[in-house]
Amino acid sequence: MRATGFERELPGDLLERLEEHARAVRLHTLRMAHEGRTPHVGSALSSVEILVSLYFAVLDVDPDEPDAPGRDVFVLSKGHGCMSYYATLAERGFFPVEWLSTYAKNGGRLPEHPTPKGIPGVRVATGSLGHGLAVGIGMLLARRLDGRKGRVFVLMSDGECNEGSVWEAAMFAARERLDRLVAIVDYNKLQATGRCEDILPLEPLADKWRAFGWAVREVDGHDLGGLVTTFRNLPFETPRPNLVLAHTVKGKGVSFMENDPEWHYRPPDSAELERAMAEVRATPGGEKP
């Protein structure tokens, strides 16, 4: 699925750079899952292109001033998928890439869920689902009161939309006309041990957000050009808050992980890591890193 309603005007060299960053983030993520012996690699892989498009082509952020007032803010509400988030921050220069090897290890710099304590670029501690959107709304309201610029982007999982707190926050954001708020749903259609439609159906998800007063755009969540073009056309309908429904594949980029709920809970062993890394490296232009 391509972005709808917008012209695709990205130069080819930008797309090539984004593809290279996405490949690097995917490789980092696989190594972290194996070495940290942690779950959620499928959830981390599904959001790679969303994170790369934001951090390398959309967000107004500066790794040298990660907490500068007035710049854009990103909240990873789906904190369990933080491996690709950490990898993106490292690739963007917020902290050394070497920190990634300490992920989920005793005494390491990067815990299994994001925390702002000691991690440049992370503004909110997340893990329990359903809270990121409300936190993002609070941050944006504070900016309004202080007269500060900047937007707030919140990345959520689809399963997270089961939470009542998400819909309370959605109603409030529309009531407050927060058109500098951007919620993104990583819609890979899997949660925990099964398919969303079998556990608690979400459809028609886009229409539900529209009914709550949001301006909605649907996009292929792995189409870097479509994602960047969509984000660069914000706000969609002033003064409505913005929802990007990104259709993704859990475990994207590794054939034996894609659309398999098993990879919600287990890391790759050594042989699986080698096979997965080879697949990612085999993509066009994938000789490095």
Side-chain angles (χ1 to χ4, degrees), residues 92-157:
R92 185 66 175 80
F94 281 86
F95 53 77
V97 171
E98 288 74 19
W99 287 18
L100 299 177
S101 63
T102 73
Y103 167 71
K105 295 179 181 176
N106 288 335
R109 303 295 300 260
L110 305 175
E112 283 189 56
H113 286 75
T115 172
K117 186 176 182 180
I119 307 178
V122 177
R123 300 289 296 275
V124 181
T126 53
S128 298
L129 297 178
H131 301 307
L133 185 58
V135 171
I137 289 170
M139 298 172 86
L140 199 51
L141 288 175
R143 286 174 176 240
R144 176 192 284 177
L145 290 171
D146 294 341
R148 284 182 286 145
K149 299 179 179 177
R151 303 165 295 179
V152 175
F153 292 73
V154 180
L155 176 57
M156 302 184 294
S157 66

Side-chain angles (χ1 to χ4, degrees), residues 184-195:
I184 307 154
V185 176
D186 180 353
Y187 198 15
N188 57 49
K189 289 88 176 174
L190 295 178
Q191 64 180 113
T193 56
R195 299 191 63 78

Side-chain angles (χ1 to χ4, degrees), residues 1-284:
M1 178 181 294
R2 298 282 183 177
T4 56
F6 304 130
E7 294 295 327
R8 296 166 56 80
E9 300 174 339
L10 300 185
D13 60 339
L14 173 58
L15 282 175
E16 289 177 6
R17 292 198 301 274
L18 294 178
E19 289 169 355
E20 189 169 320
H21 287 305
R23 189 177 305 110
V25 168
R26 208 159 249 123
L27 291 172
H28 289 315
T29 298
L30 290 166
R31 290 192 197 97
M32 293 164 71
H34 172 69
E35 295 174 2
R37 308 304 300 161
T38 60
H40 303 135
V41 63
S43 300
L45 292 174
S46 71
S47 59
V48 168
E49 282 76 15
I50 298 170
L51 292 164
V52 167
S53 63
L54 287 174
Y55 273 92
F56 289 93
V58 176
L59 292 178
D60 176 20
V61 293
D62 183 353
D64 294 328
E65 295 184 274
D67 299 323
R71 291 193 178 275
D72 291 338
V73 171
F74 175 80
V75 177
L76 181 70
S77 191
K78 47 171 284 183
H80 57 290
C82 67
M83 286 180 281
S84 53
Y85 179 35
Y86 288 152
T88 301
L89 289 173
E91 283 287 316
R92 185 66 175 80
F94 281 86
F95 53 77
V97 171
E98 288 74 19
W99 287 18
L100 299 177
S101 63
T102 73
Y103 167 71
K105 295 179 181 176
N106 288 335
R109 303 295 300 260
L110 305 175
E112 283 189 56
H113 286 75
T115 172
K117 186 176 182 180
I119 307 178
V122 177
R123 300 289 296 275
V124 181
T126 53
S128 298
L129 297 178
H131 301 307
L133 185 58
V135 171
I137 289 170
M139 298 172 86
L140 199 51
L141 288 175
R143 286 174 176 240
R144 176 192 284 177
L145 290 171
D146 294 341
R148 284 182 286 145
K149 299 179 179 177
R151 303 165 295 179
V152 175
F153 292 73
V154 180
L155 176 57
M156 302 184 294
S157 66
D158 45 10
E160 190 171 3
C161 293
N162 295 159
E163 304 285 348
S165 54
V166 168
W167 300 105
E168 292 179 43
M171 284 190 289
F172 184 74
R175 184 251 192 188
E176 291 296 319
R177 301 183 168 208
L178 298 180
D179 60 5
R180 289 192 287 156
L181 177 67
V182 186
I184 307 154
V185 176
D186 180 353
Y187 198 15
N188 57 49
K189 289 88 176 174
L190 295 178
Q191 64 180 113
T193 56
R195 299 191 63 78
C196 294
E197 66 183 32
D198 298 325
I199 296 173
L200 190 58
L202 293 167
E203 287 295 334
L205 189 54
D207 288 341
K208 288 175 180 173
W209 282 95
R210 291 189 184 98
F212 276 67
W214 289 57
V216 178
R217 298 292 183 273
E218 295 188 62
V219 64
D220 179 341
H222 302 298
D223 175 8
L224 287 161
L227 285 163
V228 173
T229 304
T230 300
F231 290 132
R232 286 186 174 180
N233 279 277
L234 291 164
F236 300 141
E237 299 172 27
T238 301
R240 297 176 183 269
N242 310 278
L243 186 283
V244 176
L245 187 59
H247 294 270
T248 60
V249 175
K250 200 160 188 170
K252 177 67 176 179
V254 179
S255 62
F256 61 90
M257 293 184 180
E258 290 187 356
N259 281 318
D260 186 346
E262 180 177 347
W263 296 99
H264 189 81
Y265 284 118
R266 82 172 182 88
D269 61 26
S270 295
E272 291 164 340
L273 174 66
E274 185 175 347
R275 181 182 168 193
M277 301 275 282
E279 284 194 17
V280 174
R281 288 196 177 105
T283 56

